[in-house]
Amino acid sequence: MPQLRLALNQIDSQVGNIAANADSVVHWTRHSAEQGAHLVAFPEMVLTGYPVEDLALRGSFVEASRSALRELAQRLAAEGFGGLPVVVGYLDRTERAVPRLGRPAGSPENAAAVLYGGQVVLRFAKHHLPNYGVFDEFRYFVPGDTQPVIRVRGVDVALAICEDLWQEGGRVPATRSAGAGLLISINASPYERNKDDLRLELVRKRAQEAGCTLAYLAMIGGQDELVFDGDSIVVDSAGEVIARAPQFSEGCVLVDLDLPAASDTPAEGTVEDGLRIDRVILTEEPVEPYDPVVTGGYADRLEDDEEIYDALVVGLRAYVRKNGFRSVLIGLSGGIDSALVAAVACDAIGAQNVYGVSMPSKYSSEHSKGDAADLADRTGLNFRTVSIEPMFDAYMGSLGLSGLAEENLQSRLRGTLLMALSNQEGHIVLAPGNKSELAVGYSTLYGDSVGAYGPIKDVYKTDVFRLAEYRNRAAAERGETPPIPENSIVKPPSAELRPGQVDTDSLPDYPVLDGILELYVDRDQGLEAVVAAGYDRELVAKTLRMVDMAEYKRRQYPPGTKISAKGFGKDRRLPITNGWREQA
């Protein structure tokens, strides 16, 4: 059987930074060539970054992508890689479409190309377009109608893009009909907790359906609220894993494969779902037999808490760096949420770039002030204390507020203080709210909700505690100082806006609350279904009312890392003005 050394470049890219992304493709192609690769692949839309959203509808951006692709092909050849086929994802437009109502302006395509000999020798577009969760690809793209196949070193290699594997039909059975010996799918599949198990089973199933070895190449990094975890996978035709890449780690997955020789009479014409086989012969002669140097490997899987924590770190790091910032500012209350956010920030961009501010009021406990200082000592972040009491007294003397208005005033003073320091010193503010609080509206607009990014906005409170314990445990195992004070973990959560206040004055215990929220928010279960799951009817009705009434607050909250199947953002789009309520 012919041999083929495949290089899957699991790399990051930045939306809109086409020049830097092209440089990255050249860099990793050079690395792949130095490793003796015969075929090189890069992730979905690596040249433009992903997702490009409405940039896809801007003709100038589409043309910039197309032009950059041609220039990249010439550049690779000029640098001595013209004889190495390179698969690159980019943004294209169809040449054949006729403008019509319901079709995206300019008929853009989520596309990929094969670069060889200084030319773009093959182009194709994603056939299955996802339109669920965070995806709006019917809004942005027109589907491809070909089944691309390239012949490389005597092996027929079929190509696909992400959703082409996730949906039934289309390019997977078309690959079998085309008689390909290898199917490469390039992807930008966002991270969700537990998705790695689902992804592996999908790849195994599709390889068996295609009847050939399948290479699933994934992107890593972060873009706005999305995180990409890598986890590229290669399986044989029986679904057995040949190689699996690390999560959250950039690099080149190199694997030597024994593949069936291309047929002398390959299939042509139209196959499944109306796909037309588009076959390009690059090199007919197999490589001279060689001793494989890379037969695969299986990177250790991250345990669940480590995986989620790493996703939070990668998401925050990407947001800070890709938006040109250098430092972050956090209000440190001594509580668990701001402590976890601080730990994530220190791991993401270094403690020297993290600035914490304790902003005590007359209701702040001594242990909370001490816990904030202890966190700073443990992590090495920059720390200062600025009391809000003089500001609070001035407002109270002028307005005479009481009750909830008095409580919220304290939070808003802290928000104003943080934003003033942000403007003065150039840090971006991180909002410390968690998913439980955001769900029920347990936050103050223009107070604890201020900021440019919310690192834990998709993390339920029970998970916040578990992640804090994980981070401390991981530090202890490495012989390091645990970053989060134990007292921040074990003391009852409190906003400390009035004497003796604790969260359970207003909310159920967090394990109960989070169980209800997971059913209602993440799974879209109604009141009766949540009650049937074992929760008290009156408590469920009260909780659901709080969720429904807080939509206007969530809409004004900053973006933050998505780790669940349904985060607050593009996953869950509900009207702010909404008269529907679940009936008790």
Side-chain angles (χ1 to χ4, degrees):
M1 298 177 76
Q3 293 173 284
L4 196 70
R5 182 167 294 169
L6 176 64
L8 303 174
N9 289 287
Q10 178 175 289
I11 66 171
D12 190 8
S13 63
Q14 182 179 1
V15 166
N17 198 345
I18 296 176
N21 296 337
D23 289 343
S24 186
V25 170
V26 172
H27 168 81
W28 286 101
T29 298
R30 181 182 299 109
H31 173 81
S32 301
E34 290 169 351
Q35 303 301 310
H38 305 124
L39 176 60
V40 180
F42 290 90
E44 177 180 8
M45 296 191 81
V46 69
L47 192 56
T48 56
Y50 182 89
V52 297
E53 299 184 314
D54 276 17
L55 284 174
L57 307 178
R58 192 174 299 175
S60 58
F61 186 67
V62 177
E63 291 309 313
S65 171
R66 288 161 57 90
S67 175
L69 183 77
R70 295 189 295 269
E71 293 170 3
L72 178 60
Q74 296 165 5
R75 181 178 171 187
L76 290 172
E79 297 209 15
F81 310 126
L84 182 60
V86 178
V87 182
V88 177
Y90 74 110
L91 174 65
D92 202 353
R93 60 174 170 79
T94 179
E95 305 285 1
R96 303 186 305 277
V98 177
R100 70 168 186 264
L101 185 65
R103 183 184 291 275
S107 298
E109 296 175 315
N110 178 338
V114 180
L115 311 182
Y116 183 74
Q119 302 293 320
V120 180
V121 296
L122 178 68
R123 303 171 187 251
F124 66 99
K126 183 189 286 189
H127 176 60
H128 286 309
L129 300 178
N131 211 54
Y132 53 86
V134 299
F135 303 108
D136 289 311
E137 296 208 3
F138 285 168
R139 170 183 173 87
Y140 298 123
F141 304 120
V142 296
D145 58 4
T146 65
Q147 174 54 64
V149 180
I150 55 173
R151 184 165 298 178
V152 180
R153 304 288 187 155
V155 176
D156 278 349
V157 181
L159 302 170
I161 302 174
C162 201
E163 193 71 11
D164 293 338
L165 257 63
W166 288 91
Q167 293 189 31
E168 300 288 342
R171 285 196 168 124
V172 172
T175 293
R176 179 183 284 273
S177 297
L182 172 65
L183 170 60
I184 299 176
S185 175
I186 62 172
N187 308 272
S189 179
Y191 168 79
E192 294 170 10
R193 60 195 307 176
N194 302 320
K195 192 175 183 179
D196 55 336
D197 296 330
L198 179 64
R199 185 183 290 144
L200 176 60
E201 290 310 308
L202 173 78
V203 171
R204 284 174 163 163
K205 178 183 179 183
R206 296 300 188 234
Q208 294 168 355
E209 292 172 352
C212 67
T213 297
L214 194 158
Y216 178 98
L217 168 59
M219 182 180 286
I220 68 125
Q223 172 62 32
D224 293 343
E225 296 193 301
L226 301 183
V227 173
F228 303 96
D229 63 322
D231 190 30
S232 298
I233 305 168
V234 182
V235 302
D236 65 19
S237 58
E240 295 299 317
V241 177
I242 299 172
R244 192 169 189 182
Q247 295 169 280
F248 306 109
S249 178
E250 187 170 56
C252 176
V253 180
L254 203 70
V255 59
D256 282 312
L257 300 171
D258 293 318
L259 299 168
S263 171
D264 292 332
T265 56
E268 300 292 347
T270 301
V271 288
E272 283 74 16
D273 286 5
L275 293 173
R276 171 179 51 83
I277 295 177
D278 188 3
R279 191 184 302 273
V280 175
I281 297 175
L282 302 181
T283 47
E284 288 272 22
E285 290 300 315
V287 298
E288 291 294 323
Y290 64 90
D291 293 328
V293 297
V294 185
T295 56
Y298 197 97
D300 292 337
R301 299 292 90 196
L302 303 178
E303 57 105 352
D304 289 346
D305 292 338
E306 182 181 10
E307 178 184 282
I308 295 170
Y309 188 88
D310 283 3
L312 299 178
V313 169
V314 169
L316 177 57
R317 180 188 296 133
Y319 191 86
V320 172
R321 291 181 176 175
K322 290 183 178 181
N323 284 291
F325 299 111
R326 295 186 300 275
S327 55
V328 300
L329 179 64
I330 308 167
L332 297 180
S333 67
I336 187 65
D337 294 325
S338 61
L340 179 61
V341 168
V344 169
C346 289
D347 289 335
I349 62 173
Q352 71 276 13
N353 299 311
V354 179
Y355 292 76
V357 186
S358 172
M359 297 170 286
S361 74
K362 64 181 181 180
Y363 299 123
S364 299
S365 63
E366 290 301 318
H367 65 73
S368 290
K369 291 184 280 188
D371 292 340
D374 187 16
L375 171 74
D377 288 340
R378 289 167 174 268
T379 59
L381 60 79
N382 304 280
F383 182 69
R384 76 188 95 173
T385 298
V386 181
S387 173
I388 66 167
E389 286 196 54
M391 297 172 259
F392 179 75
D393 291 341
Y395 268 85
M396 291 299 290
S398 298
L399 298 174
L401 303 176
S402 62
L404 188 60
E406 178 185 2
E407 293 182 26
N408 286 341
L409 173 61
Q410 298 166 70
S411 181
R412 291 191 174 111
L413 288 171
R414 291 178 174 126
T416 299
L417 195 156
L418 288 170
M419 292 309 301
L421 291 175
S422 172
N423 291 159
Q424 180 70 24
E425 300 175 3
H427 321 298
I428 63 167
V429 177
L430 301 184
N434 61 67
K435 191 172 186 178
S436 306
E437 295 172 349
L438 297 181
V440 297
Y442 196 64
S443 62
T444 303
L445 278 180
Y446 325 119
D448 56 335
S449 64
V450 303
Y453 201 72
I456 61 171
K457 71 174 288 187
D458 198 27
V459 182
Y460 283 121
K461 187 77 169 191
T462 46
D463 293 329
V464 169
F465 283 104
R466 206 178 64 250
L467 291 173
E469 292 169 346
Y470 154 74
R471 183 62 184 86
N472 279 1
R473 185 171 64 252
E477 290 171 355
R478 294 195 292 264
E480 301 169 354
T481 301
I484 299 174
E486 183 65 19
N487 197 45
S488 294
I489 298 175
V490 300
K491 66 184 177 184
S494 171
E496 293 194 333
L497 299 176
R498 64 175 183 266
Q501 182 184 31
V502 292
D503 288 3
T504 49
D505 294 340
S506 306
L507 302 174
D509 289 337
Y510 279 112
V512 175
L513 176 63
D514 289 352
I516 294 172
L517 294 176
E518 198 274 334
L519 292 171
Y520 188 54
V521 174
D522 293 13
R523 302 191 194 180
D524 284 316
Q525 299 294 304
L527 183 143
E528 295 300 332
V530 179
V531 171
Y535 296 98
D536 176 77
R537 176 177 293 273
E538 183 177 348
L539 178 60
V540 171
K542 176 184 176 182
T543 302
L544 270 51
R545 282 195 300 271
M546 288 192 291
V547 174
D548 292 342
M549 293 174 65
E551 189 63 36
Y552 76 101
K553 286 188 176 183
R554 289 189 291 272
R555 195 69 66 89
Q556 299 178 70
Y557 201 81
T561 306
K562 167 183 157 61
I563 63 162
S564 72
K566 183 165 286 192
F568 289 128
K570 291 183 179 179
D571 284 320
R572 188 176 186 272
R573 309 178 200 186
L574 292 174
I576 296 174
T577 305
N578 177 14
W580 168 256
R581 295 290 182 267
E582 293 284 335
Q583 299 301 313

